[in-house]
Amino acid sequence: MLGGIIGDIVGSRFEFDNIKTKDFELFGKGCSFTDDTVLTVATAKAILDDSVDFKNYYIQFGRKYPQPMGDYGPGFNHWLRGGTNYAPYGSCGNGSAMRVSPVGWYAFTKQTATDLSRGTTPQSALCGEQVVMQLAADTAKVTHDHTEGIKGAQAVALAIYLARQGESMPGIVQTLRHRYGYDFSLSVSELQQRYSWHGIDGRGNGGTCQDSVPQAIRCVLDATDFEDAIRNAVSIGGDSDTIACIAGSIAEAVFGIPRWMREKAMTYLTPEMRAIVQEFESRFGYNEIGTPLKYWNDSWHPAVTPHHISSLRPGEIFVFGSNIHGHHAGGAAAAAVKHFGGVWGQGVGLQGQSYAIPTMEGGVNYIKQYVDEFIKNFVVREFEISHKPDHAQTPFFYVTPIGCGIAGFHPCAIAPLFRDCKDAFNVALPQCFLEYI
């Protein structure tokens, strides 16, 4: 979802001052979130609240942020003020496509959760695609009930969903071409020459779904990474913030977002918006470059243990190396006592939101017996899910480089002990262990 918000922010200052080059400062002077971000956050908030009453969320957020940069479209503005008595007004504008991205992330998570609970791998995307099609239509039709308005929203949400499933951009484009009849034949360089607010060669309207959604998707197809997709989208002109918003929402799922860009974008948002984005990502995922994710117990967790952990969510456990006497005086053990409920005098097992594995009293075989005990009692692998009906109560574990600090072992000696954890659903391992497994 944040990928779309980044596209909106970057494209905001070019909406009415188009450029035809990719050479520009990404977060330049004058950047701001626009109506695209406001309504995307509203969509996310409705999903977080388990509501499909998108109309009231759009009204609520539209009134809370009445004059974002660039303002709302005239049709939506009229609707927001009670025009047509809040009935849909037959729009095919691209507003339906720019606010829909949370649906793609939600639908993928619902599919994955179903697969996990059954202890199976995905055999078909049918269930997830049904969620995409229905919810995307629901977000659109409260205002944009024109066939093209609904189609644009569905196409963007489906592209995100398919990317999360691992489909390539050429495969996604092929699916959308077949299903929606979109024309993706013009490259970005050709669009830079021929595209504007008046569509391609002046024969259209760049503010509609049919004249902006295919172009935004083509910008992702021709991109080499997330940033390149955003630059492509801005460089073709037209409704720059919305085209970049659509492109960015798909590009996040395809390429991931660099961490610095994620952090920079958050500074443009209000505290309320940041909180909604963070809550949505914690429940339904995000894609940050270099940060693969695991889905467990209705939440996303990093698949690689972060270098520094200063806080944990409920259901997360900090795994550290200890001595058998539980004298947690230094290193990760001291951090466990300070932050995560580590108990002085307890050298083995669960204590608060931490788990101790003795590493100081013997060699690798000595440590192995405690690692094996941890794996036997807590680690959940794919083939075990159907045999552990209570797995939903099992925490998610962040294993630190146990034994590789004060105890003096090299990661190549300890890492193989955790081989059975590499593909476990509920365990993250440090990068230095993964290099030796």
Side-chain angles (χ1 to χ4, degrees), residues 123-437:
Q123 300 299 316
S124 167
L126 180 61
C127 176
E129 286 193 19
Q130 287 176 333
V131 175
V132 170
M133 294 299 101
Q134 183 60 58
L135 272 187
D138 288 344
T139 67
K141 65 187 181 184
V142 296
T143 52
H144 295 54
D145 57 336
H146 189 286
T147 300
E148 292 292 343
I150 294 173
K151 186 168 79 173
Q154 290 178 326
V156 173
L158 180 59
I160 294 168
Y161 173 79
L162 292 175
R164 296 290 290 140
Q165 291 275 42
E167 181 62 84
S168 66
M169 268 311 296
I172 291 170
V173 165
Q174 182 177 357
T175 296
L176 299 182
R177 181 188 291 117
H178 173 75
R179 185 169 297 190
Y180 298 113
Y182 283 149
D183 181 3
F184 300 104
S185 60
L186 295 182
S187 67
V188 167
S189 60
E190 290 173 307
L191 289 170
Q192 288 170 344
Q193 300 299 317
R194 299 174 56 182
Y195 184 71
S196 72
W197 265 100
H198 302 291
I200 296 171
D201 299 331
R203 296 193 296 269
N205 180 349
T208 63
C209 281
Q210 57 269 38
D211 279 324
S212 59
V213 170
Q215 289 75 18
I217 294 171
R218 181 66 200 227
C219 290
V220 184
L221 177 65
D222 286 2
T224 57
D225 56 26
F226 177 82
E227 181 177 337
D228 195 43
I230 299 297
R231 292 186 180 278
N232 283 343
V234 171
S235 74
I236 69 172
D239 191 0
S240 295
D241 63 323
T242 297
I243 293 172
C245 178
I246 295 168
S249 67
I250 298 169
E252 176 183 7
V254 174
F255 299 112
I257 303 173
R259 179 169 298 180
W260 75 268
M261 203 178 296
R262 174 178 293 278
E263 293 173 351
K264 179 67 173 178
M266 284 292 198
T267 66
Y268 286 87
L269 304 182
T270 67
E272 177 190 41
M273 289 177 174
R274 285 196 297 271
I276 291 171
V277 170
Q278 289 166 347
E279 183 182 357
F280 188 90
E281 290 184 336
S282 73
R283 286 181 56 183
F284 304 115
Y286 62 96
N287 193 1
E288 181 176 274
I289 291 175
T291 309
L293 301 168
K294 289 185 176 182
Y295 183 76
W296 179 250
N297 284 359
D298 299 324
S299 186
W300 291 92
H301 311 266
V304 179
T305 302
H307 290 297
H308 302 286
I309 300 177
S310 58
S311 63
L312 294 171
R313 293 178 291 176
E316 294 181 333
I317 302 294
F318 180 82
V319 180
F320 66 98
S322 68
N323 60 68
I324 196 67
H325 303 292
H327 295 166
H328 306 317
V337 172
K338 183 176 181 180
H339 299 294
F340 309 123
V343 177
W344 188 271
Q346 181 179 339
V348 184
L350 279 173
Q351 40 200 281
Q353 280 190 272
S354 63
Y355 187 99
I357 295 179
T359 60
M360 297 293 291
E361 286 71 36
V364 171
N365 285 335
Y366 172 84
I367 299 171
K368 183 177 184 298
Q369 63 181 315
Y370 294 103
V371 174
D372 288 347
E373 181 180 358
F374 163 70
I375 292 172
K376 177 183 177 181
N377 292 331
F378 294 104
V379 174
V380 180
R381 290 156 293 194
E382 183 172 355
F383 68 87
E384 293 177 323
I385 280 195
S386 61
H387 303 292
K388 286 195 173 185
D390 60 340
H391 72 81
Q393 305 304 316
T394 304
F396 188 93
F397 295 88
Y398 293 106
V399 176
T400 64
I402 69 162
C404 300
I406 299 172
F409 292 93
H410 191 277
C412 69
I414 303 298
L417 304 182
F418 290 91
R419 183 171 283 113
D420 286 346
C421 297
K422 182 179 180 182
D423 298 318
F425 285 116
N426 66 322
V427 179
L429 296 176
Q431 184 61 45
C432 64
F433 281 10
L434 292 170
E435 292 171 1
Y436 293 99
I437 296 178

Side-chain angles (χ1 to χ4, degrees), residues 7-21:
D8 177 44
I9 293 169
V10 172
S12 62
R13 71 190 193 277
F14 299 114
E15 180 179 8
F16 302 111
D17 187 19
N18 287 173
I19 59 173
K20 292 288 186 173
T21 175

